[in-house]
Amino acid sequence: MLISRVETLLVDVPAIRPHRLSVATVNVQTLVLVHLVCDDGVEGWGEATTIGGLSYGEESPESIKVNIDRWMAPLLVGHDASQVARLMARLNRAVRGNHFAKCALETALMDAQARRLNIPLSELLGGRLHDELSVAWTLASGDTEKDITEAQSMLALRRHRIFKLKIGSRRPEEDVAHVLAVQRELGDSVSIRVDVNQAWSEYEAERSIALLEAGGIEAVEQPIDAANRAGLARLAQRFTIAIMADEALKSPLDALDLARGAAADVFSVKISPPGGLTAARRMADIAVLSGIALYGGTMLEGSVGTAASAHLFSTFPKLSFGSELFGPLLLTEDILREPLVYRDFMLQVPQGAGLGIAVDEEKVAALCRR
C-alpha cells in the first residue's frame, strides 16, 4: 500500500456570473486538485482551492502546486498510504504553514484509505449523523434587483432558502440599504445573512450591525479585521444578531482563543484554512464544548472539496446555521462523472466509499492549465 505518485493539477473553471467579495471578484475559479495513486491500485483525490489569488490569503493556486510538487509529495511517495496520521505528522514536522496544500493531501490520503476499507470517508471522522445538509446560496452581484431575482429563482427551484449577501466593497450605508431591500422583498420565509470579509472598522460595524439587527438579518460574518479579536468580542456581546467568525479561524488554537474570549456566536468551519479535515474537526469540537453554533463554510471549492467538506460536516452534532457548500453550482463545468445531488434545499452527502464520487479525468484534462 505504498504511495506511487502524487499529481497536482490546476483546473481553471469559469463562474456562471461574477462573484464579488470585498477583497476580490471571482470570474474564473482555479481548482487545485491532488491525485494520489497507490501501488495497490487504490487512488485518492483532494482539493486545495482558495479565492482571488493572494488577495484573500497567503497561498495562491500556483504556490500550492509548487510547494506540493517540490516539498511535500517527495515526503509521501514510497511510504505506506494507510498511515494517514503518521504521514500528516511527517508533513507538519517538515513543512511550516501551507494549510491549503496540506488539506488537499490529507483529503486524498483519507479518500484512498476509506476506499481501501470500502467505507465512506465520514466514517474515518467519527461517523456521520446526517445524510443531507441545508445549503445557503451567496448573492454577490451587488445589484439589488439582480440579487432579488436570483434569490427568487433559487426558491422556485427549491435549491436554497438561506441567502448570504457579500458586502463591504461600498460605503457601509449603501451596503446596509442593499441588504435590507433584499430582505424586505424576500420576506420572512427565508434566512438572510451578510458577509463583510473584514471590510469594516469597528465603528462602522457598530453603526451598521445595529441597522441590520433592526431589519431582521440573522447573522453578520467577520465584520471587522480578523486580528481585532477584542473588537469582535465587543460586537458579539453588544448585539443579539449572531456574530460569525470566519477569517479569524485559521487553527484550533484560534478557535480556543475566540471561545475563551466569547468573541463569536457562530464559527464558520472550513477544511482548508486550518490544514485539513482533522484540524477542522478539532475546531468544531471546541465550538460544541463552548456552546458556540456551527456553520459549514466554503472556499468556493469544486466538487472534490465540497464532497470532503460534506463528509466532515455530516459528523457534526448540529449545524445550527446550515452550510455554504454551493461551490460546484457556481461553476460552468462539473468535474465529476455524476454531479453532487442538490434537492429540496439540501445537499445529499455522498454515500459511496471514500468521498463517494468519481472524478471525470477526461474533463479534468481538458480544463487543466498547461
Side-chain angles (χ1 to χ4, degrees), residues 53-79:
L54 290 174
S55 64
Y56 183 89
E58 298 172 352
E59 293 174 77
S60 69
E62 294 78 13
S63 73
I64 292 169
K65 175 173 170 52
V66 167
N67 288 336
I68 290 176
D69 291 348
R70 170 64 179 85
W71 298 100
M72 300 185 200
L75 295 171
L76 301 179
V77 172
H79 290 268

Side-chain angles (χ1 to χ4, degrees), residues 29-359:
Q29 182 64 305
T30 300
L31 313 179
V32 185
L33 300 181
V34 166
H35 183 206
L36 182 142
V37 181
C38 306
D39 67 0
D40 61 353
V42 176
E43 302 180 11
W45 288 87
E47 181 177 346
T49 294
T50 185
I51 298 172
L54 290 174
S55 64
Y56 183 89
E58 298 172 352
E59 293 174 77
S60 69
E62 294 78 13
S63 73
I64 292 169
K65 175 173 170 52
V66 167
N67 288 336
I68 290 176
D69 291 348
R70 170 64 179 85
W71 298 100
M72 300 185 200
L75 295 171
L76 301 179
V77 172
H79 290 268
D80 186 347
S82 69
Q83 302 295 308
V84 178
R86 289 181 177 177
L87 289 174
M88 292 309 298
R90 176 181 173 85
L91 279 180
N92 286 323
R93 285 193 301 269
V95 178
R96 296 186 183 274
N98 288 276
H99 287 175
F100 283 69
K102 288 175 180 176
C103 176
L105 291 167
E106 185 189 49
T107 300
L109 287 165
M110 283 191 170
D111 181 33
Q113 179 63 358
R115 290 176 190 271
R116 187 175 289 112
L117 298 173
N118 197 32
I119 59 174
L121 191 149
S122 55
E123 301 311 298
L124 294 181
L125 298 167
R128 74 173 60 186
L129 298 172
H130 315 283
D131 289 322
E132 56 184 13
L133 307 170
S134 61
V135 181
W137 178 256
T138 296
L139 301 169
S141 75
D143 182 286
T144 302
E145 292 305 317
K146 283 184 180 179
D147 281 356
I148 290 170
T149 300
E150 190 172 304
Q152 289 172 335
S153 70
M154 296 301 170
L155 288 167
L157 292 169
R158 295 184 60 82
R159 246 182 41 186
H160 309 278
R161 57 188 169 196
I162 303 170
F163 298 100
K164 188 171 85 171
L165 278 72
K166 288 286 188 181
I167 60 176
S169 60
R170 300 178 293 193
R171 292 185 301 129
E173 52 269 32
E174 293 178 6
D175 277 334
V176 169
H178 165 63
V179 172
L180 295 181
V182 173
Q183 164 76 1
R184 284 192 299 270
E185 185 65 29
L186 296 181
D188 297 332
S189 62
V190 303
S191 168
I192 301 288
R193 301 94 178 265
V194 300
D195 187 1
V196 191
N197 288 121
Q198 310 180 75
W200 289 341
S201 68
E202 189 175 343
Y203 172 69
E204 290 171 330
E206 287 178 350
R207 295 181 62 195
S208 302
I209 292 172
L211 296 171
L212 294 171
E213 183 176 80
I217 305 305
E218 186 179 26
V220 179
E221 185 173 342
Q222 202 63 56
I224 60 175
D225 192 284
N228 187 4
R229 294 181 179 178
L232 201 63
R234 285 189 288 269
L235 295 174
Q237 293 158 24
R238 174 172 176 177
F239 295 103
T240 58
I241 187 174
I243 302 299
M244 186 183 299
D246 180 11
E247 285 87 355
L249 281 169
K250 295 182 179 178
S251 71
L253 286 176
D254 288 336
L256 186 60
D257 189 47
L258 289 167
R260 285 172 172 168
D265 303 298
V266 187
F267 282 178
S268 175
V269 176
K270 301 175 180 177
I271 65 173
S272 292
L277 297 157
T278 303
R281 177 62 196 239
R282 292 188 184 124
M283 290 166 59
D285 289 341
I286 290 167
V288 171
L289 293 171
S290 305
I292 296 169
L294 289 173
Y295 178 61
T298 183
M299 290 301 301
L300 301 182
E301 291 101 340
S303 295
V304 174
T306 297
S309 298
H311 277 276
L312 174 64
F313 300 161
S314 76
T315 70
F316 293 173
K318 187 176 182 180
L319 277 170
S320 301
F321 283 74
S323 78
E324 197 178 340
L325 299 181
F326 70 95
L329 301 174
L330 186 66
L331 305 178
T332 57
E333 300 279 354
D334 201 307
I335 60 169
L336 301 185
R337 294 178 191 166
E338 296 291 337
L340 298 173
V341 177
Y342 295 84
R343 64 167 179 260
D344 293 332
F345 308 111
M346 311 288 276
L347 167 63
Q348 308 302 306
V349 182
Q351 297 284 342
L355 289 171
I357 59 175
V359 173

